[in-house]
């Protein structure tokens, strides 16, 4: 029998997918609504499996932002501020009910995860500006915050998973001649994939 929490999450996930599709097309006429909605649905379901019911609004916001951002990044290799930096303060504000119920510990790790991920990406962008941009750095604030809510170790695994997945998938595409050696690869979608993989990798590692 479905519970109220199930209905709450289902509604939030569906709204996130709709918002992601609309925002993606507003930001880029070439962005796929299907990609945006699919990413939002997937990340929304991921959150439903892992986080507390009182965090529904906060994680639904990120699901919509990640969906729209991934769709635009795949199309134009850019990550607009609207879906990277802008959601950050609202995410933390929406976590207030969860913090009131469970205490501030997770809030601090979420903030730590956001800063840690963004700093790592900023250093990489500084060293290799052709491979990483400030859009990736800003996206790292949200992916790091989401994973940091689950633990700082999970946030570190998220960024590591993003690089591993990018290397593996890029290698496959290169081997099958779907891309060339000089082809640009959007890193944003791999960061979102890293978010999906990290908590389960942490479980396997016993973190």
């Amino acid at each position: 029998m479905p519970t109220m929490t199930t209905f709450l999450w289902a509604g939030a996930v569906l709204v996130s997918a709709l918002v992601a599709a609309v925002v993606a097309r507003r930001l880029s006429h070439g962005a796929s609504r299907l990609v945006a909605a699919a990413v939002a649905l997937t990340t929304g379901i991921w959150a439903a499996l892992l986080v507390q019911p009182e965090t529904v609004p906060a994680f639904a916001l990120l699901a919509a932002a990640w969906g729209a951002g991934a769709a635009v990044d795949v199309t134009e290799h850019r990550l607009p501020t609207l879906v990277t930096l802008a959601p950050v303060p609202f995410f933390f504000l929406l976590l207030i009910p969860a913090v009131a119920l469970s205490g501030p510990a997770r809030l601090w790790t979420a903030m730590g995860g956001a800063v840690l991920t963004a700093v790592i990406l900023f250093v990489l962008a500084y060293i290799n500006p052709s491979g990483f941009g400030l859009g990736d750095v800003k996206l790292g604030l949200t992916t790091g915050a989401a994973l940091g809510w689950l633990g700082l170790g999970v946030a570190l695994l998220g960024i590591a998973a993003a690089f591993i997945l990018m290397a593996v998938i890029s290698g496959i595409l290169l081997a099958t001649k779907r891309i060339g050696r000089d082809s640009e690869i959007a890193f944003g979608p791999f960061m979102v994939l890293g978010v999906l993989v990290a908590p389960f990798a942490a479980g396997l590692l016993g973190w």
Side-chain angles (χ1 to χ4, degrees):
M1 186 75 174
T3 64
M4 184 60 69
T5 300
T6 302
F7 285 118
L8 182 63
W9 267 115
V13 169
L14 290 174
V15 170
S16 293
L18 177 61
V19 170
V22 172
V23 171
R25 288 304 292 268
R26 290 294 182 93
L27 293 172
S28 169
H29 291 299
S32 168
R33 289 193 183 104
L34 181 60
V35 169
V39 172
L41 279 171
T42 304
T43 53
I45 293 170
W46 167 91
L49 294 172
L50 295 172
V51 301
Q52 306 92 323
E54 56 270 20
T55 64
V56 170
F59 280 86
L61 170 68
L62 293 192
W66 291 339
V72 174
D73 202 16
V74 166
T75 305
E76 298 186 359
H77 297 284
R78 68 183 181 92
L79 287 162
T81 297
L82 180 65
V83 293
T84 54
L85 189 61
V88 175
F90 296 101
F91 173 71
F92 285 109
L93 283 172
L94 290 170
L95 285 176
I96 290 175
V99 173
L101 287 172
S102 60
R106 285 181 180 267
L107 179 63
W108 296 124
T109 58
M111 289 180 174
V115 172
L116 182 63
T117 303
V119 167
I120 290 171
L121 289 168
F122 180 80
V123 171
L124 290 172
Y126 181 79
I127 295 171
N128 182 20
S130 63
F132 303 95
L134 288 180
D136 298 315
V137 176
K138 291 182 285 186
L139 181 62
L141 288 170
T142 58
T143 59
L147 291 177
W149 181 258
L150 302 174
L152 273 179
V154 184
L156 281 172
L157 280 175
I159 191 65
F163 284 110
I164 292 169
L165 288 165
M166 183 177 70
V168 170
I169 294 174
S170 298
I172 293 171
L173 293 174
L174 188 60
T176 56
K177 299 183 179 179
R178 299 293 297 274
I179 62 172
R181 292 186 179 278
D182 297 327
S183 297
E184 288 187 27
I185 304 293
F187 187 55
F190 291 106
M191 292 174 67
V192 177
L193 282 174
V195 168
L196 297 174
V197 169
F200 303 104
L204 291 174
L205 293 171
W207 288 19

